[in-house]
Amino acid sequence: MTINQFKHVVGARTYLFADLKDLMAKATPARSGDYLAGVAALTAEERVAAQMTLAELPLTFFLNHLVIPYEDDEVTRLIVDVHDAAAFATIAHLTVGDFRNWLLNDAVDGALLSAVAPGITPEMAAAVCKIMRIQDLILVAKKCRVVTCFRNTLGLENRIATRLQPNHPTDDASAIAASILDGLLYGSGDAVIGINPASDNLAQVIKLVTMLEAIIDRYAIPTQSCVLTHVTNTLKAIERGAPVDLVFQSIAGTEAANHSFGINLNLLAEARAAALSLGRGTLGQHVMYFETGQGSALSANAHHGLDQQTCEARAYAVARRFQPLLVNSVVGFIGPEYLYDGKQIIRAGLEDHFCGKLLGLPMGCDICYTNHAEADQNDMDILLTLLATAGCNFIMGVPGSDDIMLNYQSTSFHDALYVRRVLGLQAAPEFEAWLRQMGMVAGNGKLSEALPAPFQAALLGLSGA
């Protein structure tokens, strides 16, 4: 396709787009990271011209025109090598605009979307996302149901799970235990009890992993644990006999960005194999937990001139390869240099959820912002409500919504209760049954006022009594 084929005429003005990367970037809704990278549309009119041009592009074009060359990037090679032509055949005749209409069609249900997912490339998902309104992103994502299992079942309809995030700036065991108890009493923790360690010291990581196992075993909690250390640390912990449930790693959409994280596809495969060898899951063996975020490739100067939303969608190709239990877009964490304000964070969170679900991933979202962003908790309430409406698999549960170790604002245990109450959602079924068995949830579905007997001794111990 020549440069003259990437053009759009608006009145007396003709907009030209140099190549697919340029067209995709200029079609992206405005965000600070793309301006920082120098790839964004300069005016709203140019953005609409790019979106209209993109809408006319056949989906087959993406299979023959790669945004990063095959020989230069292992993520590109992964996308090309695993593409399922049979699954793609259902939509192969469509343009990007037609694809949007097809996705919104009532006849296209979750089963069909699941069948087609292996034929959708990340760039196709990113492209159709760029021409969709927020209500479109919600409606289609709502139809995508991605179910995963380890010790409970996540992603079922009318359910929303939480990662209980009991971080502490010094990894103090008593403080972490107190936060875990607090979260459990509010019905949080079914997605995972996951700690970001203050230190990547291997002995400390093993100590935290062992502590989490002891809590889960003592109270027979149908959930899984994770210490969010680097994948190489987790491998070493497994080699030393640590009771590792899930392997965590931050991932990105280019080989160079993943290299900046100290990882590659072979290392992730090795870690997954090590976790599978432990056989710790009781209902399933989805053992990987990935986190992503728009702007990570740009922050590493590893974006290859791509817009950040397309880079983010490519990260989902990496995640999809390893059949994760959880994928978490930490949407506002990287900062206002990449997503400037509440409006940009809200849009990005819904984009990430939509693209991940469309590609067949169990998407959650850390609905968050840093303290120097032009955003506040009201913006997070809006994104929380929209994501829960869209069928998001899980969110974060942070004490008071303020992570005192990572120093950013997220969602609280109360926020999870809010969306469950307002939208009629429940925790994972096995975890919900455990809450009732423990007397933490009454027959009417409301939280019990009384402290469950098994936790009374724990509370006395934490108080020093």
Side-chain angles (χ1 to χ4, degrees), residues 168-174 176 195-199 204 207-208 405:
H168 190 270
T170 63
D171 288 338
D172 180 86
S174 294
I176 290 171
I195 302 172
N196 296 92
S199 166
Q204 180 66 12
K207 179 180 177 182
L208 291 173
M405 194 278 281

Side-chain angles (χ1 to χ4, degrees), residues 86-427:
F88 179 63
T90 301
I91 57 172
H93 62 291
L94 301 176
T95 65
V96 173
D98 294 332
F99 187 33
R100 171 189 175 273
N101 295 337
W102 183 85
L103 289 169
L104 293 170
N105 193 311
D106 284 343
V108 176
D109 60 11
L112 181 53
L113 288 169
S114 179
V116 169
I120 302 172
T121 69
E123 290 83 359
M124 293 175 196
V128 75
C129 178
K130 295 174 192 299
I131 65 168
M132 298 177 87
R133 294 169 58 185
I134 279 179
Q135 65 174 250
D136 300 338
L137 300 176
I138 293 171
L139 180 59
V140 176
K142 178 77 170 179
K143 295 195 284 186
C144 299
R145 191 57 51 191
V146 183
V147 178
T148 56
C149 300
F150 191 77
R151 291 199 189 98
N152 58 26
T153 309
L154 301 171
L156 294 171
E157 192 169 5
N158 296 320
R159 307 272 177 175
I160 190 166
T162 56
R163 170 189 160 192
L164 203 171
Q165 184 171 308
N167 296 342
H168 190 270
T170 63
D171 288 338
D172 180 86
S174 294
I176 290 171
S179 292
I180 292 173
L181 175 59
D182 188 25
L184 291 172
L185 290 172
Y186 280 103
S188 285
D190 45 343
V192 63
I193 303 175
I195 302 172
N196 296 92
S199 166
D200 265 343
N201 176 276
L202 181 59
Q204 180 66 12
V205 168
I206 293 174
K207 179 180 177 182
L208 291 173
V209 170
T210 304
M211 171 189 172
L212 290 177
E213 183 200 37
I215 292 172
I216 289 172
D217 284 354
R218 178 175 179 180
Y219 299 106
I221 309 170
T223 192
Q224 37 282 328
S225 71
C226 186
V227 174
L228 283 71
T229 187
H230 192 270
V231 64
T232 52
N233 253 4
T234 304
L235 273 168
K236 292 174 184 176
I238 291 173
E239 290 169 0
R240 299 191 185 187
V244 171
D245 287 344
L246 305 184
V247 174
F248 166 80
Q249 184 55 48
S250 293
I251 57 173
T254 71
E255 179 180 350
N258 284 324
H259 178 75
S260 75
F261 290 152
I263 62 166
N264 56 44
L265 298 180
N266 286 336
L267 179 60
L268 294 178
E270 179 186 353
R272 179 172 180 265
L276 286 172
S277 72
L278 301 180
R280 292 178 57 81
T282 54
L283 296 183
Q285 294 297 326
H286 294 105
V287 296
M288 304 299 285
Y289 174 19
F290 294 122
E291 288 192 344
T292 68
Q294 289 194 27
S296 59
L298 175 58
S299 69
N301 195 29
H303 61 297
H304 293 267
L306 289 172
D307 66 273
Q308 64 187 38
Q309 191 258 327
T310 299
C311 278
E312 173 72 5
R314 285 170 55 92
Y316 303 150
V318 177
R320 184 165 62 172
R321 170 68 178 81
F322 299 104
Q323 303 173 36
L325 180 76
L326 307 164
V327 179
N328 179 29
S329 166
V330 192
V331 64
F333 184 74
I334 301 181
E337 298 83 4
Y338 306 95
L339 295 169
Y340 178 71
D341 57 14
K343 182 177 181 178
Q344 292 186 11
I345 292 170
I346 289 167
R347 170 79 194 189
L350 292 164
E351 289 173 345
D352 297 349
H353 180 250
F354 163 83
C355 287
K357 282 287 187 66
L358 194 60
L359 293 167
L361 287 172
M363 291 300 297
C365 187
D366 190 343
I367 301 160
C368 63
Y369 64 100
T370 57
N371 289 314
H372 61 310
E374 290 294 321
D376 60 27
Q377 214 64 35
N378 288 318
D379 296 309
M380 300 306 102
D381 285 349
I382 293 169
L383 180 54
L384 169 64
T385 305
L386 295 177
L387 281 169
T389 303
C392 188
N393 281 28
F394 69 100
I395 60 171
M396 302 299 108
V398 176
S401 76
D402 182 8
D403 192 302
I404 59 173
M405 194 278 281
L406 294 175
N407 292 310
Y408 78 117
Q409 308 303 310
S410 184
T411 46
S412 70
F413 308 137
H414 302 78
D415 295 330
L417 284 179
Y418 149 71
V419 290
R420 285 175 178 167
R421 296 289 181 269
V422 168
L423 298 177
L425 305 174
Q426 291 182 299

